[in-house]
Amino acid sequence: MMLHRLFLILCLWLASPAWAVPAMWQVGQGKRQITLYGTIHALPKGTDWLTPQAAQAFNRAGTLVVEIAGPSDPAAMRAVVMELGRLPTPVPLASRLPDELKPKADALLKAAGLPVGALDGMESWLAALTLVQIEVARAGLDPAAGVDVALIARARAAGKRLIGLETARGQLALFDSLPEADQRLLLASAIADAGKTVEQMQGLVAAWGAGDVDRILKDFDDASLSPELEKRLFHDRNAAWANWVQAALKRPGRKFMAVGAAHMAGPHSLIAMLQARGIPVKRVQ
């Protein structure tokens, strides 16, 4: 179940309703207002998610704020991945896994058309993400249809200012800096959960499309996520984004802030952190 959160972080989804009404909030007022919008970064083509109310908020904003202000150059991105995720000396993947998962790991690689040692040169976190991406690719998901990609294209076409809260290198570094024990926990989870992706994600995507934040929290309240991984992927990033929102509200300008939907749910969410600082947050969709 831990892989649920990893999928949301990577925004790799396998199904979506034809018409979606994702959750949306507003903070501030007048000319100092920020719309907060929970996103999914990859969707099947044809998903209709930009409601009239969301479109109006986006059109009124002079700035779009996203996690990463891409799209990144593919060659440059591959270079970063290779720099951060390659081991100086290959380590057999099997040696990093519990005995009961070794046969399934071999089967997954074989099904993907990869030799058994294909991931031996990768750090454990990159091997885990690679296995996740293989599963998603088999599901026919199109990252080019994601919410962020569409919003960034709209913002550039309209001449809006574009702000990235993080960089691709910074996001990958979150995984790269994890202790090896946590990286192997990710790797084991990626293998153990392989094959369950479609069923698990369909319910979560339905919750996103319905704007059901309570359901997202329930499905992603995962005790198997290590405290360190939880802290780095969610708590620390949410706190940094809350700092950004608090500072941005002191300056004139309407902004549309679109970040992963998992960051909007729960007691340590971006929404909850803003409210804890005394900043009123109004649900508007």
Side-chain angles (χ1 to χ4, degrees), residues 20 27 30 40 55 76 80 84 126 131 133 141 144 149 152 158 161 174 195 217 227 229 232 234 244 268 270 272:
V27 296
I40 290 177
V80 173
L84 296 179
L126 182 57
L131 289 169
Q133 291 169 340
L141 192 68
V149 172
I152 288 170
R161 184 185 180 199
L174 291 173
L217 172 61
L229 196 58
R232 294 192 188 199
F234 288 90
W244 188 93
H268 304 293
L270 173 60

Side-chain angles (χ1 to χ4, degrees), residues 54-112:
Q56 182 182 48
F58 176 82
N59 292 337
R60 292 181 64 194
T63 301
L64 172 65
V65 183
V66 291
E67 292 181 34
I68 300 176
S72 301
D73 173 60
M77 185 63 182
R78 283 193 296 271
V80 173
V81 171
M82 293 291 288
E83 177 189 340
L84 296 179
R86 299 295 297 184
L87 291 169
T89 303
V91 176
L93 193 71
S95 70
R96 299 180 248 172
L97 296 172
D99 288 341
E100 65 271 16
L101 289 179
K102 293 176 183 179
K104 187 171 184 179
D106 290 344
L108 288 173
L109 292 174
K110 183 178 180 180

Side-chain angles (χ1 to χ4, degrees), residues 18-267:
W19 172 254
V21 187
M24 186 169 72
W25 298 259
Q26 285 184 342
V27 296
Q29 57 185 345
K31 294 183 178 181
R32 299 188 183 193
Q33 188 177 79
I34 301 175
T35 297
L36 305 175
Y37 189 83
T39 68
I40 290 177
H41 303 284
L43 289 169
K45 292 180 179 178
T47 304
D48 194 352
W49 50 266
L50 189 61
T51 63
Q53 189 168 6
Q56 182 182 48
F58 176 82
N59 292 337
R60 292 181 64 194
T63 301
L64 172 65
V65 183
V66 291
E67 292 181 34
I68 300 176
S72 301
D73 173 60
M77 185 63 182
R78 283 193 296 271
V80 173
V81 171
M82 293 291 288
E83 177 189 340
L84 296 179
R86 299 295 297 184
L87 291 169
T89 303
V91 176
L93 193 71
S95 70
R96 299 180 248 172
L97 296 172
D99 288 341
E100 65 271 16
L101 289 179
K102 293 176 183 179
K104 187 171 184 179
D106 290 344
L108 288 173
L109 292 174
K110 183 178 180 180
L114 298 173
V116 172
L119 306 185
D120 291 356
M122 296 182 183
E123 293 195 20
S124 297
W125 67 267
L126 182 57
L129 300 194
T130 300
L131 289 169
V132 169
Q133 291 169 340
I134 289 172
E135 283 283 286
V136 171
R138 291 172 61 190
L141 192 68
D142 184 10
V147 173
D148 298 74
V149 172
L151 289 175
I152 288 170
R154 284 174 176 264
R156 286 178 170 156
K160 296 181 185 293
R161 184 185 180 199
L162 187 59
I163 293 177
L165 296 167
E166 300 171 344
T167 64
R169 175 183 286 274
Q171 286 196 348
L172 292 176
L174 291 173
F175 294 100
D176 187 50
S177 61
L178 285 171
E180 179 62 18
D182 285 320
Q183 293 189 34
R184 293 190 180 190
L185 184 62
L186 276 181
L187 179 59
S189 181
I191 294 169
D193 286 358
K196 308 173 186 177
T197 304
V198 173
E199 181 181 353
Q200 292 174 347
M201 290 301 107
Q202 282 178 342
L204 294 170
V205 170
W208 169 79
D212 190 344
V213 179
D214 291 337
R215 169 69 184 277
I216 292 174
L217 172 61
K218 179 181 177 181
D219 286 350
F220 282 77
D221 187 12
D222 188 358
S224 70
L225 195 67
S226 75
E228 182 64 20
L229 196 58
E230 174 82 18
K231 179 178 183 295
R232 294 192 188 199
L233 297 186
F234 288 90
H235 295 184
D236 290 353
R237 297 170 76 206
N238 290 346
W241 297 351
N243 289 341
W244 188 93
V245 170
Q246 190 170 22
L249 286 173
K250 298 177 182 179
R251 302 185 296 270
R254 294 190 177 97
K255 302 170 181 67
F256 193 96
M257 183 174 177
V259 297
H263 296 279
M264 305 296 192

